[in-house]
């Protein structure tokens, strides 16, 4: 559905008036300067300013906003941390941004049921700290964990390095309180591990990018906090040895919680960030972590991993000697997306996935694409999952990166992969969705969208 921005603006003024009456002026933002702060996320997609923003503090505020917005025909884009990488939180037709970042309560942490019930504005890293202080563990760890929120993690099915062992957000959400456009509230899913009562709408809503329903509460799966942890850094003089090591590690039945790959350009970026001393002859790195109940179990896994690295001609395997070293490594890795941005004037960041067995072919193909299109290409990411963040970097303002990115996407699909592993489609990857999914399949997906949101007002212009 396409919206006329002038009409949307006029209707949004009505919405601001009616919600000022219902919620009070403090929660309704119409000041242009503040609205600008809702115009973009952490993608390179074109910003667009909303006409009004509502700062929700409760379920009732979300319900009121969605009731009035449906009545008046105003598009609503939900926003929590605003850290998305595909433009999902950008209100591309204007209208209303529903900001849930003030809904920050952790409502419940249950040590027996191993669940946490949280509001959508809870910052993921803050939830980690809170549950870890109780000996518990919430595993999803998107790299923006210090600023991203559970609401956005749910909307995008956020991943992160630990997804290799523990799954992405979807594998760790048991249930949701979800609000439909128009304000109907549904309790979706369960608070038990098992449960097959009806269709699995939790799985559908997680990753639906705010286009089907909005999250007002999430029931999250907790685990016991692993007592032991070891962090290893393996250096390789070529990429193929690193990807072979990933394959052999999995075949050996090892389950590191993290298995991250960095290519030579990324290694150089890491070096510039001052994260440990990485010698110049390094063409690829694997960052690997094992966690478990005891030091001895973790040590045995680490030794087995080191053997595999040696068999694949690793230059060396270093264990982080102390917490400071581990933290420095992770700080640099977590900031990699920003650090790479500084390597060139412009960048496009892709989030592709290939079957793990196809990683060598993907990296080789990626290099050829870089040469053919005369651009620097850097890859890093969650090698255990076959999920690589491939960055196309260039300096010339006249350079058009699309042919290179198009070739990359063709390569990924030819290898049986998928166009996005954890960042979502948003606006950034809409162009490529029909390359991966048939028209008939997209029609089925659009049918789901119109079942949930017949008026097409929830986050319009995203995904399709
Ligand atoms: C990362 C983000 C970009 O893994 O997903 O760094
Ligand atoms: Zn990532």
């Amino acid at each position: 559905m396409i919206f006329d921005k002038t009409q949307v603006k006029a209707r949004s003024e009505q919405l601001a008036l009616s919600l000022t009456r219902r919620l009070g002026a403090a929660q309704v933002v119409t000041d242009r300067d503040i609205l600008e702060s809702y115009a973009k996320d952490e993608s390179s997609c074109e910003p667009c300013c909303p006409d009004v923003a509502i700062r929700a503090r409760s379920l009732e505020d979300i319900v009121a906003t969605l009731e009035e917005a449906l009545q008046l025909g105003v598009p609503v884009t939900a926003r929590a941390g605003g850290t998305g990488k595909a433009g999902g939180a950008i209100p591309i037709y204007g209208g209303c941004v529903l900001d849930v970042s003030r809904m920050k309560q952790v409502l419940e942490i249950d040590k027996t049921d191993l669940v946490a019930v949280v509001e959508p504005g809870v910052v993921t890293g803050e939830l980690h700290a809170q549950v870890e202080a109780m000996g518990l563990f919430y595993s999803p760890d998107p790299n923006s964990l210090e600023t991203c929120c559970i609401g956005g993690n749910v909307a995008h099915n956020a991943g992160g390095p630990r997804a290799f062992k523990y799954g992405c957000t979807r594998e760790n959400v048991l249930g949701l309180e979800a609000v439909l456009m128009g304000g109907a509230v549904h309790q979706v899913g369960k608070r038990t591990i098992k449960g097959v009562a009806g269709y699995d709408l939790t799985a559908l809503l997680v990753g639906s990018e705010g286009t089907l329903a909005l999250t007002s509460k999430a029931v999250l799966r907790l685990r016991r906090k692993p007592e032991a942890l070891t962090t290893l850094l393996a250096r390789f003089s070529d990429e193929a040895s690193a990807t072979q090591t990933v394959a052999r590690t999995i075949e050996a039945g090892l389950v590191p919680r993290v298995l991250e790959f960095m290519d030579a350009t990324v290694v150089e970026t890491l070096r510039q960030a001052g994260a440990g001393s990485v010698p110049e002859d390094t063409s690829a790195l694997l960052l690997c972590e094992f966690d478990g109940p005891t030091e001895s179990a973790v040590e045995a896994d680490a030794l087995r991993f080191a053997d595999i690295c040696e068999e694949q001609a690793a230059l060396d395997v270093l264990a982080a000697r102390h917490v400071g070293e581990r933290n420095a490594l992770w700080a640099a890795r977590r900031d990699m997306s920003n650090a790479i941005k500084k390597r060139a004037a412009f960048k496009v960041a892709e989030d592709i996935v290939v079957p793990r067995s196809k990683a060598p072919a993907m990296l080789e193909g990626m290099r050829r694409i870089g040469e053919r299109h005369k651009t620097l290409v850097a890859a890093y990411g969650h090698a255990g999952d076959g999920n690589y963040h491939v960055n196309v970097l260039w300096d010339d303002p006249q350079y058009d990166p699309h042919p290179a990115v198009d070739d990359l996407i063709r390569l990924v699909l030819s290898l049986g992969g998928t166009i996005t592993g954890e960042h979502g489609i948003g606006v950034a990857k809409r162009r490529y969705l029909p390359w991966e999914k048939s028209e008939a399949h997209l029609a089925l997906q659009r049918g789901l969208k119109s079942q949930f949101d017949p008026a097409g007002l929830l986050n319009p212009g995203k995904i399709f």
Side-chain angles (χ1 to χ4, degrees):
M1 196 170 305
I2 292 180
F3 290 87
D4 177 303
K5 284 197 186 174
T6 317
Q7 258 178 27
V8 168
K9 190 170 177 7
R11 292 178 197 159
S12 298
E13 280 162 17
Q14 291 298 313
L15 182 72
L17 288 175
S18 54
L19 286 172
T20 302
R21 276 197 296 274
R22 277 183 77 164
L23 309 178
Q27 280 171 256
V28 180
V29 179
T30 50
D31 180 308
R32 185 80 197 176
D33 288 341
I34 307 176
L35 289 176
E36 285 292 345
S37 68
Y38 293 115
K40 58 181 172 102
D41 59 8
E42 287 182 10
S43 68
S44 42
C45 300
E46 197 183 327
C48 185
C49 195
D51 300 303
V52 57
I54 305 302
R55 292 171 163 166
R57 294 190 182 275
S58 64
L59 168 65
E60 290 67 34
D61 296 349
I62 297 178
V63 168
T65 305
L66 296 184
E67 273 175 11
E68 299 288 335
L70 179 62
Q71 294 249 321
L72 293 164
V74 177
V76 176
T77 299
R79 179 184 183 98
T83 58
K85 298 232 169 242
I90 301 177
I92 63 170
Y93 296 114
C96 174
V97 162
L98 181 50
D99 172 2
V100 296
S101 64
R102 283 163 186 76
M103 294 177 68
K104 280 185 165 308
Q105 287 194 69
V106 175
L107 300 164
E108 200 188 328
I109 296 176
D110 190 312
K111 288 183 93 156
T112 308
D113 294 343
L114 289 174
V115 300
V117 182
V118 309
E119 291 189 324
V122 169
V123 172
T124 308
E126 289 172 12
L127 179 65
H128 286 173
Q130 200 169 332
V131 299
E132 284 173 28
M134 300 170 68
L136 302 171
F137 184 64
Y138 176 66
S139 62
D141 63 337
N143 267 313
S144 50
L145 58 83
E146 281 175 18
T147 45
C148 68
C149 299
I150 296 296
N153 292 180
V154 168
H156 289 275
N157 188 19
R162 300 199 299 229
F164 179 57
K165 181 167 182 179
Y166 296 111
C168 294
T169 301
R170 182 176 289 125
E171 285 74 36
N172 292 281
V173 176
L174 298 170
L176 296 169
E177 181 179 79
V179 193
L180 302 188
M181 179 46 88
V185 181
H186 288 256
Q187 305 300 329
V188 176
K190 55 203 183 329
R191 69 167 277 151
T192 51
I193 300 294
K194 289 179 111 177
V196 290
Y199 293 138
D200 187 352
L201 294 191
T202 315
L204 175 63
L205 293 186
V206 176
S208 62
E209 303 193 20
T211 63
L212 300 181
L214 302 189
T215 302
S216 50
K217 247 179 234 167
V219 184
L220 306 176
R221 178 182 181 170
L222 302 178
R223 299 160 203 268
R224 297 265 152 237
K225 186 181 172 208
E227 292 296 329
L229 175 66
T230 178
T231 305
L232 301 155
L233 189 66
R235 291 196 309 120
F236 299 86
S237 59
D238 65 306
E239 288 177 349
S241 302
T243 50
Q244 285 302 330
T245 301
V246 172
R248 297 292 94 79
T249 301
I250 293 163
E251 287 163 13
L254 291 174
V255 189
R257 80 171 182 188
V258 162
L259 197 45
E260 294 278 309
F261 169 88
M262 288 164 247
D263 79 359
T265 310
V266 177
V267 171
E268 175 59 28
T269 309
L270 199 64
R271 199 184 288 123
Q272 287 170 9
S277 49
V278 186
E280 302 261 334
D281 57 350
T282 315
S283 287
L285 283 179
L286 287 181
L287 175 61
C288 178
E289 274 188 346
F290 290 96
D291 66 3
T294 62
E295 293 292 344
S296 58
V298 163
E299 275 309 302
D301 284 349
L303 286 175
R304 184 79 191 90
F305 175 73
D307 284 346
I308 293 170
C309 291
E310 204 171 306
E311 281 157 27
Q312 298 304 322
L315 296 168
D316 51 31
V317 185
L318 300 173
R321 279 161 300 184
H322 45 77
V323 171
E325 204 166 80
R326 175 173 188 275
N327 290 347
L329 211 49
W330 273 109
R333 166 61 188 90
R334 292 212 173 277
D335 194 45
M336 194 52 75
S337 171
N338 288 322
I340 287 182
K341 211 182 232 166
K342 295 182 191 134
R343 299 291 305 266
F346 305 96
K347 107 169 176 176
V348 174
E350 293 302 322
D351 169 40
I352 56 96
V353 194
V354 291
R356 291 179 294 233
S357 57
K358 299 291 195 292
M362 192 282 293
L363 291 169
E364 259 175 56
M366 184 194 91
R367 295 275 165 251
R368 281 200 300 275
I369 289 167
E371 278 159 27
R372 194 160 60 240
H373 294 282
K374 301 189 172 39
T375 182
L376 182 63
V377 187
Y380 70 98
H382 320 298
D385 295 314
N387 179 198
Y388 291 86
H389 300 309
V390 177
N391 290 260
V392 175
L393 303 159
W394 72 99
D395 286 315
D396 176 1
Q398 304 301 322
Y399 182 80
D400 174 12
H402 283 107
V405 177
D406 287 2
D407 276 359
L408 177 72
I409 298 299
R410 282 188 199 101
L411 169 71
V412 165
L413 295 175
S414 75
L415 294 171
T418 179
I419 60 176
T420 173
E422 53 177 18
H423 296 170
I425 302 289
V427 268
K429 298 185 177 85
R430 275 186 314 190
R431 165 180 164 81
Y432 298 116
L433 190 60
W435 294 23
E436 179 170 330
K437 304 286 184 215
S438 71
E439 191 38 55
H441 181 73
L442 289 177
L444 182 65
Q445 292 212 10
R446 283 198 201 92
L448 284 171
K449 164 74 176 165
S450 49
Q451 179 71 31
F452 277 81
D453 174 24
L457 291 169
L458 266 188
N459 209 7
K462 307 300 163 63
I463 305 180
F464 303 109

